Amino acid sequence: MRVLWTHNFDPAVATSGVFMHTAATGIRALGVDLHLEYLGNLRSVSQLLRARKRVSEIAPSFDVVHAQYGSACAVATAAADAVPKVLSVRGSDWQVYRSSAGFPSVHSRIATFLTRASIKRYACIASVSKRMSGDILEVSPHSRVEFVPSPIDLSRFIPRNKKEIRSAMGFPDSDEKWVLFNSRHLNNPVKRYALAQRAFDLARQRDNRLRFRLATEMPHEAIPEFVAACDVILCTSENEGWPNSIKEALACNVPFVATDVGDLHDIADVEPSCRVCPADANVLADNLCDVIGQKKTPGLRRHVEEMGLAEISAKTIAIYQSLLDC
């Protein structure tokens, strides 16, 4: 099977599209001949038209074409009329950013409009969360929508001895309680870093053992041990599909305190050490302190075992095969 993945994650930026490259590794490991096609910056009409022309030219030599993101990437990839097409919808290409005016809000509205306008051109929509799957079906009830979360490598994100990990990182005999905040860029308005910092500051006033640990611009190969060394992850995003950083933390048995994004509420409903809260610094701080004071839950990893690299790769290939069998 020959498969084309189209994307606009800049290959010159090491941390851009890490989740896609992780997924590609799993697909190739199962014998698929996979080609990744970078469509470039798609923020002008001329660039978008060039990308559409490129996709229409190369698509016929593949069995399936899979757009790895909505927005302009979905519009460009829709030009592949000769083969079955799949579209991954990831969150920021579907959910409108509303917290402030200016470029981020305008860009978000354009991105989500383009995604919604493109959906009917695709044989299957791969949604990264169950919650978003329902939202997509409300807009396009006749679409085939499959829950296909971005996979994580469960062989790398594993529970570890925190004392040993911290000692190796230069923090021997540390009794501190580490609060992790993970964002590629702290100025990303959707992540709301200022809210996270305020919540942490309030929590630390009540428990001076707390330390804020930022996974920002960190090489991805260093992330697994860094995550496993933390006691809780804080997520304050306005919207997300299914936060990969939370998956990685859960795989390491690290609980979360988060705003209501993705499918996190389903986990918080059954795990006392995981919390979904309003976007209020005081409430987030209360829950951080409460979670830190609890006995740790060793079974959190079970919530992401279906999202492992091998499992999601097999599911994705099964979708491709079903389209070819039609």
Side-chain angles (χ1 to χ4, degrees):
M1 184 187 299
R2 298 197 72 228
V3 177
L4 171 67
W5 281 11
T6 58
H7 69 95
N8 57 345
F9 302 114
D10 190 347
V13 179
T15 54
S16 180
V18 168
F19 57 86
M20 179 189 69
H21 294 291
T22 297
T25 300
I27 295 291
R28 287 174 174 141
L30 294 180
V32 172
D33 181 4
L34 177 63
H35 174 73
L36 271 60
E37 181 71 15
Y38 174 53
L39 301 180
N41 187 319
L42 302 177
R43 290 186 176 177
S44 75
V45 173
S46 61
Q47 290 167 327
L48 181 56
L49 291 175
R50 279 196 296 269
R52 283 179 60 85
K53 184 174 184 293
R54 172 65 177 162
V55 170
S56 67
E57 289 172 346
I58 64 175
S61 63
F62 293 90
D63 299 304
V64 177
V65 174
H66 186 164
Q68 291 297 304
Y69 194 73
S71 188
C73 183
V75 175
T77 308
D81 290 325
V83 295
K85 297 188 294 294
V86 179
L87 169 63
S88 281
V89 178
R90 301 192 176 278
S92 55
D93 50 355
W94 181 259
Q95 300 156 337
V96 176
Y97 170 68
R98 302 178 185 277
S99 289
S100 65
F103 176 78
S105 178
V106 173
H107 179 265
S108 174
R109 292 176 188 278
I110 294 172
T112 55
F113 170 79
L114 294 176
T115 303
R116 293 168 192 239
S118 303
I119 280 180
K120 293 181 181 179
R121 300 288 302 277
Y122 287 83
C124 180
I125 309 300
S127 169
V128 299
S129 76
K130 295 175 182 176
R131 181 178 186 174
M132 198 161 60
S133 296
D135 294 340
I136 293 169
L137 284 170
E138 286 186 7
V139 173
S140 184
H142 300 297
S143 291
R144 175 183 174 182
V145 181
E146 299 280 354
F147 170 53
V148 187
S150 299
I152 57 170
D153 189 341
L154 293 175
S155 69
R156 298 180 64 232
F157 290 93
I158 59 175
R160 304 171 193 260
N161 183 293
K162 294 188 191 304
K163 185 174 182 180
E164 293 176 0
I165 292 294
R166 291 185 187 183
S167 180
M169 295 171 65
F171 297 91
D173 303 320
S174 173
D175 291 325
E176 297 173 345
K177 299 297 181 181
W178 288 12
V179 178
L180 172 65
F181 185 79
N182 194 333
S183 176
R184 191 155 66 95
H185 300 296
L186 295 182
N187 61 356
N188 182 343
V190 174
K191 301 290 186 179
R192 297 193 289 202
Y193 168 66
L195 173 61
Q197 182 69 67
R198 176 61 177 158
F200 171 79
D201 290 344
L202 290 170
R204 194 168 188 276
Q205 290 175 13
R206 305 167 205 177
D207 188 340
N208 63 11
R209 299 174 300 166
L210 269 59
R211 295 293 182 273
F212 211 18
R213 298 300 184 202
L214 303 178
T216 304
E217 298 295 346
M218 180 179 289
H220 196 66
E221 59 269 19
I223 292 289
E225 290 190 354
F226 189 76
V227 172
C230 294
D231 294 284
V232 61
I233 183 170
L234 175 62
C235 172
T236 51
S237 297
E238 177 181 318
N239 57 62
E240 294 217 26
W242 214 122
N244 287 329
S245 60
I246 300 289
K247 292 178 199 168
E248 294 166 352
L250 291 170
C252 299
N253 282 332
V254 174
F256 63 79
V257 172
T259 45
D260 189 9
V261 296
D263 298 332
L264 299 187
H265 216 298
D266 294 341
I267 298 173
D269 284 346
V270 298
E271 295 291 355
S273 63
C274 294
R275 307 292 175 84
V276 167
C277 313
D280 180 283
N282 284 288
V283 177
L284 289 162
D286 288 342
N287 280 272
L288 276 176
C289 291
D290 195 17
V291 168
I292 286 293
Q294 285 191 5
K295 185 177 180 179
K296 295 300 173 282
T297 306
L300 297 177
R301 183 179 171 90
R302 66 186 174 91
H303 294 289
V304 294
E305 286 177 342
E306 68 170 341
M307 304 179 195
L309 185 56
E311 291 76 11
I312 297 303
S313 298
K315 184 172 186 176
T316 302
I317 293 172
I319 290 172
Y320 295 161
Q321 191 60 57
S322 71
L323 296 178
L324 295 176
D325 291 341
C326 289

